[in-house]
Amino acid sequence: MSSRLAGAAAKASNRSTSAWDVIIGSNAFIGSADSITTAKRVGNSDNSNYFQGHQSCSLSSEASAVPSPSHYLGSAAVKDNLSTLRRSTTCASGILANYNSPYEASVIQCLRDNGGTVFGKTNMDEFGMGSHSTNSAFGPVKNRQTFSAGGSSGGSAVAVSTDMTELGIGTDTGGSVRLPAAYNGITGFKPSYGRISRFGVIPYANSLDTVGLFTRDCSKMVETFNRLRHHDSQDPTSTSQQTIDRLDHALSEATTKANHLRTRPSDILRIGVPIEYNIEELHQDVRGAWKAVLETLRSQGHDIVPVSLPSTRHALPAYYILAAAEAASNLAKYDGVRYGTRRHANDGEGGVLYAKTRGDGFGDEVKRRILLGSYTLSSEAIDNYFIQAQKVRRLVQRDFDRVFSMPNPLQTAQQFDLSEIEEYVELENKLGPAQIDVIVCPTTPTTAPLLSDVMKQTSVDAYMNDVFTVPASLAGLPAISIPASLPEDYCKAGELNKAGIQVIGQYWTDDLVLSVARMIEGCMNGEKDLVSAALENEIP
């Protein structure tokens, strides 16, 4: 075994007993009590055999050509809806109990090609449907034992926040990476739609699903994203190399043009603050953290500009109509005949072929969304619900295109009619409202709630957690959640005392979003060198 792998094994096996107990108690990993305890025992007895003994850390065959240490991505906690060889992929659902994929997701193969390893498969909301990782056949994921881990990628987030892995891989449909990142005090990134291959991801909603990443800081996030983004011919939604070249060229031209026109120094950003995001449900502690970040940015010389995204108030219901409709279609194949676990040989009694298989295999939340999606796609409802939701989705995207100074490279340039803009939107000049580089807003309306309170919520109450993350998902935009400290007046002893702050950029400006997040991270930590490097080297 190489010294690099032996060192990683030694680091893992030297964790304190309490750290192992925490991860076992969190229910973050699928079968964590057995696999993690085995890993601890094998690792403590013989460090050199740690990776061989712990199946979920096994290296793929191509790892014989070990990359250089500078290219080593480290161990990853992988959400259980990404297909992996030699271990089951269940989506935390009874309908896929003991399913073993015959192939591996492209992002996992890419991880291995860059020297990374799969530490284990992590618990999640069933098929990605939930905001707290409580809708799982394996039981809820626990954040610090009593708090919500966020969803649906809660297991991967907990694995990173407890230092079990350097990297977490999940999927983000309407906030399923950013929300857990906010609740666990780590960094969570959803790239532009099509940036990372979805091949091998068991789908929830194809037009929204995006592979997302968890790390403890932005530097690691930048490194990981640069390693994993590439065109994949196996994924029809992956951006082709020809399109990548065209979008990069369009972005470069737009940046050059903007730099000629701008009247302020190139390292000064215009930060957008959506007025519609200052909602009644936004808790004071999160609002305080948001204001503190904006004041810090202002003190660095950046412009803070109020902007309006009027379609935001319709984004959440539109998202749940569209996501449920796609889910109903995607999950129709799990009937126990072609796909899924068939538990009852006499399931066809009474002329009903697979009702009991689906009834027993799916959880309550999945059934609820299948019913909602099936109804919105029915002939009597499709015009009033599904089609209207698609129109709202375009309005949400149009709102973002209007406020960003960078044009959307997927859309033809368009002139926005001032008569279509709400009366309360302030105009910067006769040409229209101010345009911005990025948006900075809260990731969630609250900090991580207690699991006991989550269990008392209705489904509609739980849906409200996605109110700030859904708009970027509908528009396919890059967005990252980074932790920010709560104001001292709201800090409590023994708690995380962090809120998630979200940075959203125009489509294909992933590098800018990561740079701004890195800059904010440096500002909040007082790291002036990091701030300067982000501004000078990465922000266009």
Side-chain angles (χ1 to χ4, degrees):
M1 173 182 252
S2 70
S3 59
R4 173 176 59 76
L5 297 184
K11 181 179 178 182
S13 64
N14 286 334
R15 299 183 191 279
S16 65
T17 301
S18 60
W20 290 99
D21 291 342
V22 165
I23 196 65
I24 291 173
S26 70
N27 201 29
F29 285 90
I30 301 295
S32 58
D34 294 331
S35 59
I36 300 299
T37 303
T38 301
K40 178 185 174 186
R41 182 177 65 250
V42 172
N44 283 339
S45 62
D46 182 2
N47 286 344
S48 66
N49 290 327
Y50 178 75
F51 283 91
Q52 289 90 337
H54 183 24
Q55 183 187 12
S56 62
C57 283
S58 59
L59 290 169
S60 60
S61 58
E62 76 279 359
S64 56
V66 179
S68 64
S70 62
H71 294 284
Y72 173 57
L73 284 181
S75 60
V78 177
K79 188 176 181 181
D80 199 36
N81 65 342
L82 286 106
S83 301
T84 49
L85 292 171
R86 299 185 297 280
R87 57 183 67 83
S88 61
T89 301
T90 69
C91 292
S93 176
I95 201 77
L96 282 176
N98 303 317
Y99 168 69
N100 290 286
S101 173
Y103 59 90
E104 196 152 64
S106 291
V107 68
I108 304 303
Q109 187 61 51
C110 189
L111 172 75
R112 297 189 192 281
D113 291 343
N114 284 276
T117 60
V118 178
F119 187 84
K121 301 298 289 289
T122 55
N123 204 354
M124 55 179 284
D125 281 306
E126 184 179 5
F127 284 102
M129 300 182 191
S131 300
H132 297 287
S133 295
T134 54
N135 304 321
S136 168
F138 301 101
V141 180
K142 300 173 185 177
N143 169 17
R144 292 163 285 148
Q145 301 303 310
T146 57
F147 291 90
S148 165
S152 60
S153 308
S156 295
V158 169
V160 173
S161 67
T162 54
D163 291 342
M164 286 299 293
T165 62
E166 302 169 67
L167 167 67
I169 302 180
T171 56
D172 191 306
T173 307
S176 296
V177 164
R178 290 162 285 161
L179 194 150
Y183 283 175
N184 286 275
I186 59 175
T187 301
F189 178 48
K190 182 199 86 70
S192 296
Y193 185 81
R195 269 307 230 173
I196 296 181
S197 172
R198 286 178 44 250
F199 178 77
V201 175
I202 297 179
Y204 162 21
N206 300 66
S207 71
L208 296 162
D209 290 341
T210 307
V211 174
L213 306 170
F214 295 101
T215 58
R216 286 188 287 277
D217 58 58
C218 291
S219 295
K220 181 67 175 178
M221 185 66 74
V222 171
E223 176 196 2
T224 304
F225 176 60
N226 287 336
R227 296 277 187 268
L228 298 183
R229 60 176 175 182
H230 66 93
H231 167 60
D232 180 14
S233 59
Q234 299 176 102
D235 174 17
T237 64
S238 175
T239 311
S240 68
Q241 189 57 53
Q242 181 180 4
T243 304
I244 290 174
D245 295 339
R246 179 176 63 82
L247 295 180
D248 285 344
H249 179 70
L251 185 62
S252 177
E253 281 193 336
T255 301
T256 302
K257 181 178 179 181
N259 287 337
H260 282 306
L261 295 176
R262 69 199 307 171
T263 58
R264 62 190 190 282
S266 60
D267 60 347
I268 299 301
L269 293 172
R270 302 195 84 169
I271 309 292
V273 180
I275 57 180
E276 288 84 4
Y277 283 30
N278 190 22
I279 58 176
E280 182 181 349
E281 292 81 4
L282 182 62
H283 283 202
Q284 289 299 323
D285 53 356
V286 179
R287 182 181 280 111
W290 184 21
K291 290 173 64 177
V293 169
L294 294 176
E295 285 301 322
T296 301
L297 291 171
R298 192 195 304 273
S299 70
Q300 295 288 325
H302 303 292
D303 297 332
I304 307 301
V305 181
V307 296
S308 177
L309 302 171
S311 299
T312 290
R313 62 180 181 270
H314 305 302
L316 197 64
Y319 165 80
Y320 276 101
I321 289 172
L322 295 174
E326 293 189 39
S329 176
N330 281 324
L331 300 185
K333 61 178 172 284
Y334 298 110
D335 52 16
V337 178
R338 298 165 297 169
Y339 300 96
T341 302
R342 189 176 184 84
R343 298 179 180 177
H344 307 280
N346 60 346
D347 199 19
E349 289 184 356
V352 179
L353 179 59
Y354 49 77
K356 190 165 183 60
T357 292
R358 287 170 66 83
D360 291 346
F362 289 133
D364 290 342
E365 182 62 26
V366 174
K367 294 175 188 174
R368 183 179 296 112
R369 298 196 192 193
I370 289 175
L371 289 173
L372 173 61
S374 298
Y375 174 70
T376 58
L377 290 175
S378 65
S379 59
E380 63 182 89
I382 190 169
D383 289 336
N384 290 330
Y385 291 96
F386 184 77
I387 300 300
Q388 296 302 319
Q390 290 283 25
K391 291 179 179 178
V392 169
R393 184 175 190 174
R394 293 291 167 259
L395 291 175
V396 170
Q397 186 180 61
R398 183 179 169 86
D399 279 353
F400 281 118
D401 289 345
R402 178 175 54 78
V403 301
F404 283 126
S405 58
M406 194 70 65
N408 188 330
L410 291 181
Q411 306 290 334
T412 56
Q414 53 183 314
Q415 177 66 44
F416 294 99
D417 190 341
L418 296 184
S419 65
E420 297 179 0
I421 299 175
E422 301 286 349
E423 292 182 0
Y424 57 80
V425 178
E426 296 184 7
L427 302 185
E428 183 179 43
N429 51 44
K430 64 181 181 180
L431 298 178
Q435 291 190 310
I436 56 172
D437 298 305
V438 294
I439 288 170
V440 174
C441 62
T443 307
T444 60
T446 69
T447 54
L450 290 167
L451 276 173
S452 57
D453 293 336
V454 169
M455 297 304 180
K456 299 174 186 176
Q457 291 181 346
T458 66
S459 295
V460 176
D461 291 333
Y463 296 165
M464 274 301 298
N465 291 284
D466 301 332
V467 66
F468 295 144
T469 56
V470 156
S473 293
L474 286 176
L477 305 182
I480 189 171
S481 176
I482 56 176
S485 298
L486 298 179
E488 290 186 7
D489 294 345
Y490 296 100
C491 291
K492 298 177 183 178
E495 294 194 8
L496 184 61
N497 296 319
K498 298 281 188 181
I501 298 299
Q502 187 178 202
V503 181
I504 305 172
Q506 177 59 286
Y507 184 79
W508 210 252
T509 60
D510 302 67
D511 292 334
L512 173 62
V513 168
L514 289 168
S515 299
V516 173
R518 214 174 154 197
M519 179 193 69
I520 294 174
E521 183 182 73
C523 288
M524 302 305 290
N525 296 334
E527 301 172 8
K528 295 182 180 179
D529 292 341
L530 180 59
V531 175
S532 299
L535 288 172
E536 293 174 6
N537 300 329
E538 299 185 43
I539 295 178

